[in-house]
Amino acid sequence: MRTKVSLVVSDLSGGGSVRAFLLAQVLKSLNYQVEIVGFLYGKELYAIPPSGIEIISIPGTNYPKFFGSIPKLLEKLDGDIIYAVKPKPTSFGVSLLKKFRSRRPLLLDMDDWELSWYGGFEWKYHPSLKQFYRDIFKKNGALRFPDHPLYLQWMEARVQNADAVTIDTAFLKERFGGAYLPNGKDTAMFDPDKYNPEASRERYGLSDYRVLMFPGAPRPHKGVEDVLIALDQLNQPDIRLVIVGGSPYDDYDDKLIQKWGRWIIKLPKFPVEVMPEIVAAAHIVVVPQRDTLTARAQFPLKLTDGMAMAKPVLSTRVGDIPEILGETGYLVDPSSPEQIAQQIQCIFQDLESANERGSKARARCIEKYSIETMASTLKSVIAKL
């Protein structure tokens, strides 16, 4: 009977599910049986899972009701190996309980520095007695939310209780150790030879435009505003920024559209199997990360979207991005709309040369960031459990 791995996701309606789906693909390639189990705090899944992946969701609740939800999730966790995604109470915390009860090996995956969203090392919790009372007992008290940074600090202090840790950036490795497992791509699925860019542009209503593509959820640290400011500066009416999927977190997309709607085309979210056809429609994939703590700790999935599909990738000198792209992308300083505008012009002035660089990016992606490369690393990690 095949070994079963239970991937535990803190919130299936949040971004952590994307990394979980990728890990599930890698584990399936190693012939493991895979299930994804997690809480669902929103109305629907954040991302559409790959076909053949079992998803089990439990309604997400806040404290104190959350204590009653924990046994429901534990009951569903029947993998021979437990693999928690993100060091949160709703994933790693519950998985630690399962480990201590069942003695099953526990892996922890970290693809973000969770405390970076709250200021990182600067964040401290020193409430007055009155504020502490409110945070616990008020209906929407801060400490009723499982993702409160105090609980994230507690979870980070327990990272060493995992039997093994996987991380996806040098920043996280330096902070937590672990095995480097990048945000790779199924390069057989994401194969540009299977798609006609013109046909893709026609299918999605993009034939009239030179297409910059951001295939993900815009957030302030991701620098989409810098691209839009660059488009204001260029003021070339046939260029569009195509945002695929958009943000489920807040109304940030709407704010971008209110201010820069003339440059934006928004497409809905698609299953991962459809994404190669979508990315095929791009002339340039843009990954304009700003230099923030959050960005430095991340490996943007959009990089390997563009690399695998042999697209010119325009990104910024932040975190691991220069190392990921090597000499195969176009790099500018973070928060530099002027430099972004210049690079867009340069790429379109010699698109043939840019596409050749994109082909080199695909070769680099196959070598360093493929499902097969990830599988080799994960296989050796699991072998040591």
Side-chain angles (χ1 to χ4, degrees):
M1 191 171 173
R2 287 189 299 161
T3 302
K4 184 174 184 179
V5 180
S6 295
L7 284 154
V8 188
V9 179
S10 58
D11 181 6
L12 288 163
S13 60
S17 58
V18 176
R19 174 75 170 178
F21 294 163
L22 174 60
L23 294 173
Q25 289 178 280
V26 176
L27 289 162
K28 282 191 73 176
S29 78
L30 290 168
N31 202 34
Y32 288 103
Q33 188 181 349
V34 182
E35 67 176 5
I36 294 177
V37 182
F39 295 103
L40 186 69
Y41 280 87
K43 294 179 181 178
E44 59 183 18
L45 297 178
Y46 170 80
I48 300 170
S51 57
I53 302 291
E54 182 184 10
I55 308 288
I56 301 167
S57 67
I58 306 293
T61 54
N62 294 331
Y63 296 113
K65 286 185 178 179
F66 178 63
F67 292 116
S69 301
I70 292 172
K72 297 176 185 176
L73 190 132
L74 288 173
E75 186 183 339
K76 302 294 184 183
L77 284 181
D78 61 356
D80 304 290
I81 298 169
I82 309 300
Y83 200 165
V85 181
K86 296 185 178 292
K88 294 186 173 186
T90 42
S91 52
F92 185 45
V94 177
S95 299
L96 282 170
L97 286 175
K98 189 70 175 183
K99 170 188 160 87
F100 295 142
R101 287 184 182 183
S102 67
R103 315 313 299 173
R104 292 175 192 174
L106 171 60
L107 281 162
L108 170 64
D109 182 73
M110 305 174 72
D111 68 336
D112 264 316
W113 185 28
E114 301 306 323
L115 276 174
S116 70
W117 300 99
Y118 305 95
F121 298 112
E122 303 301 317
W123 188 86
K124 298 287 186 294
Y125 184 62
H126 297 303
S128 64
L129 196 59
K130 188 175 182 181
Q131 186 60 50
F132 182 63
Y133 178 89
R134 287 174 178 163
D135 287 348
I136 291 178
F137 293 106
K138 287 285 188 180
K139 184 179 180 181
N140 289 315
L143 291 176
R144 289 193 170 210
F145 293 91
D147 274 1
H148 189 279
L150 179 63
Y151 306 138
L152 299 179
Q153 279 187 336
W154 292 353
M155 288 294 97
E156 282 192 6
R158 301 269 75 82
V159 165
Q160 71 271 14
N161 292 122
D163 295 295
V165 176
T166 53
I167 47 84
D168 68 349
T169 63
F171 180 100
L172 292 169
K173 187 170 182 64
E174 184 178 337
R175 176 131 178 75
F176 299 102
Y180 178 64
L181 193 66
N183 264 333
K185 199 67 67 195
D186 184 339
T187 52
M189 180 190 295
F190 282 75
D191 181 351
D193 291 340
K194 295 179 180 177
Y195 301 93
N196 180 315
E198 290 295 339
S200 286
R201 284 192 278 274
E202 184 173 349
R203 179 166 188 178
Y204 295 101
L206 305 172
S207 295
D208 295 337
Y209 306 111
R210 290 180 288 167
V211 176
L212 312 180
M213 186 171 287
F214 182 85
R219 302 187 84 171
H221 75 275
K222 295 184 180 180
V224 171
E225 291 180 41
D226 297 326
V227 175
L228 293 165
I229 294 168
L231 293 184
D232 274 344
Q233 293 172 358
L234 289 170
N235 198 28
Q236 296 179 11
D238 65 333
I239 299 180
R240 290 294 183 275
L241 175 64
V242 176
I243 296 172
V244 185
S247 174
Y249 305 108
D250 49 35
D251 62 351
Y252 186 59
D253 291 2
D254 295 334
K255 290 177 180 176
L256 293 177
I257 290 168
Q258 283 171 15
K259 189 166 183 179
W260 288 288
R262 63 191 177 283
W263 303 124
I264 297 172
I265 294 174
K266 187 175 175 183
L267 297 180
K269 63 183 178 183
F270 293 91
V272 66
E273 292 89 351
V274 180
M275 283 305 295
E277 182 184 41
I278 303 293
V279 180
H283 291 98
I284 304 171
V285 170
V286 290
V287 189
Q289 299 279 92
R290 289 176 170 172
D291 191 12
T292 66
L293 265 179
T294 300
R296 273 177 258 159
Q298 289 183 335
F299 184 129
L301 270 163
K302 293 165 286 300
L303 289 174
T304 48
D305 285 339
M307 293 172 77
M309 291 302 290
K311 296 296 179 182
V313 178
L314 174 54
S315 192
T316 50
R317 299 180 184 93
V318 173
D320 287 1
I321 292 173
E323 169 59 28
I324 295 164
L325 287 172
E327 301 299 316
T328 70
Y330 294 83
L331 291 173
V332 299
D333 294 331
S335 303
S336 264
E338 296 81 7
Q339 292 183 27
I340 292 173
Q342 289 170 5
Q343 286 290 6
I344 290 170
Q345 281 189 309
C346 288
I347 291 169
F348 281 127
Q349 281 169 3
D350 192 351
L351 197 54
E352 185 177 342
S353 172
N355 287 332
E356 287 175 9
R357 193 180 293 196
S359 296
K360 292 177 182 176
R362 174 169 169 79
R364 184 174 178 83
C365 190
I366 291 170
E367 178 192 355
K368 293 181 175 290
Y369 309 114
S370 63
I371 289 282
E372 291 76 15
T373 304
M374 292 181 71
S376 175
T377 300
L378 195 51
K379 184 179 180 180
S380 66
V381 170
I382 292 173
K384 295 172 186 173
L385 292 176

